[in-house]
Amino acid sequence: MIDDDVLSTHLQELRRGTVVLASLLLLRRPGYGYALLEELARTGLAVDANTLYPLLRRLEKQGLLTSEWSTDEPRPRKFYRTSVDGAALAETLRREWADLSTAFATLEDGS
Amino acid sequence: MIDDDVLSTHLQELRRGTVVLASLLLLRRPGYGYALLEELARTGLAVDANTLYPLLRRLEKQGLLTSEWSTDEPRPRKFYRTSVDGAALAETLRREWADLSTAFATLEDGS
C-alpha cells in the first residue's frame, strides 16, 4: 500500500505548473479570480483560492497578465487578461507539455 | 519579452514530478543511477544528477523502488527496480497526466 501522503505529494508535484498554463489559456477572455477558480474546477484542474489569487498577482507582476477594474457590476471586480507575453508563455508551456507527453508515450511502450 | 528567469521557473514547475513518473516507468527494468540519467536525457527528460540521485533514494525509502547491489561488474553498482507499489503509483500518475492533457485540450479549443 502506498502511503496517502506520499501519493498526494507525487500527484501535487505532477500538477504544479499546470495551473499557470490553464490560467493563461482561460484568461485569453478577461475574467476575475472567483470565476476563474470555478472554470478551473469545471475543467478538472481544481485549485485552492489561497493558491490561485497570489498566483494571479505574481503573473501580473511578471507581465503575463494585465488587469483592469470593472465597475459595471454591483461590486467592483478586478478582471485579469492574458498579455501578449502571457500568450507566448502559454504556447511555450503547451509545446513543453506535448514534448513530455511524447516522451511518456515512448516510455509506456517499454522501450 | 519574457524574462529568462520567469520562463525557466515556469518550465521547471511544469516538469517537476515528471521525473518521478519517468523513473518508475524506466526502472521496470533494473538500472543504476547513471544509466537512468542517460536514458532520461535520451527520452527528452534531462535531469541533473544532483536531483536524480536523492530522488532515487527518496523513492526507495517510500517503498516505490527496491535496490540491490550488483558485483558482476568491475565496480559494484546499486541497481534500482520499480516495486509493485511503484508500478501502482506510476499507473496513477499516468492517468492523472492523461486527465490533465484532456483538460488542456478542452482549454485549447477556447471553450
Side-chain angles (χ1 to χ4, degrees):
Chain A
M1 276 296 293
I2 307 169
D3 185 87
D4 277 350
D5 284 350
V6 167
L7 180 64
S8 93
T9 303
H10 286 299
L11 279 171
Q12 265 171 44
E13 284 189 0
L14 197 68
R15 274 185 214 130
R16 196 189 309 241
T18 62
V19 177
V20 170
L21 174 52
S23 299
L24 292 174
L25 290 173
L26 282 166
L27 292 173
R28 290 175 296 187
R29 282 193 300 206
Y32 55 94
Y34 186 71
L36 180 63
L37 202 65
E38 289 190 313
E39 272 186 291
L40 286 168
R42 213 163 37 234
T43 325
L45 293 157
V47 58
D48 200 80
N50 293 329
T51 302
L52 185 65
Y53 296 163
L55 174 70
L56 292 175
R57 288 193 290 272
R58 175 161 71 100
L59 294 177
E60 185 183 7
K61 214 169 151 188
Q62 294 175 339
L64 303 167
L65 295 176
T66 58
S67 77
E68 204 176 328
W69 285 92
S70 163
T71 49
D72 280 358
E73 318 205 15
R75 225 186 85 196
R77 286 186 196 282
K78 193 177 186 181
F79 276 73
Y80 288 100
R81 181 176 209 159
T82 304
S83 70
V84 173
D85 275 358
L89 177 64
E91 181 50 28
T92 303
L93 294 177
R94 205 198 49 72
R95 264 202 310 264
E96 175 70 14
W97 185 271
D99 289 349
L100 290 168
S101 295
T102 306
F104 286 140
T106 314
L107 297 184
E108 277 300 304
D109 295 342
S111 62
Chain B
M1 276 296 296
I2 307 169
D3 185 87
D4 278 351
D5 284 351
V6 167
L7 180 64
S8 93
T9 304
H10 286 298
L11 279 171
Q12 265 171 43
E13 285 189 359
L14 197 69
R15 275 185 213 131
R16 197 190 309 241
T18 61
V19 177
V20 170
L21 174 51
S23 299
L24 292 174
L25 290 173
L26 281 167
L27 291 173
R28 289 175 295 187
R29 282 193 301 205
Y32 55 95
Y34 185 71
L36 180 62
L37 202 63
E38 290 190 313
E39 272 187 290
L40 286 168
R42 212 161 37 233
T43 325
L45 294 156
V47 57
D48 200 80
N50 293 330
T51 303
L52 185 65
Y53 296 164
L55 174 70
L56 292 174
R57 287 193 291 271
R58 176 161 71 102
L59 294 177
E60 185 183 6
K61 215 169 151 189
Q62 294 174 338
L64 303 167
L65 295 176
T66 58
S67 78
E68 204 176 326
W69 286 92
S70 163
T71 49
D72 280 359
E73 319 207 14
R75 227 186 84 197
R77 287 187 196 280
K78 193 177 186 180
F79 276 73
Y80 288 100
R81 181 176 209 159
T82 304
S83 70
V84 174
D85 275 358
L89 176 64
E91 181 51 28
T92 303
L93 294 177
R94 205 198 50 72
R95 264 202 310 265
E96 175 71 13
W97 185 271
D99 289 349
L100 290 168
S101 295
T102 306
F104 285 139
T106 314
L107 297 184
E108 277 300 305
D109 295 343
S111 61

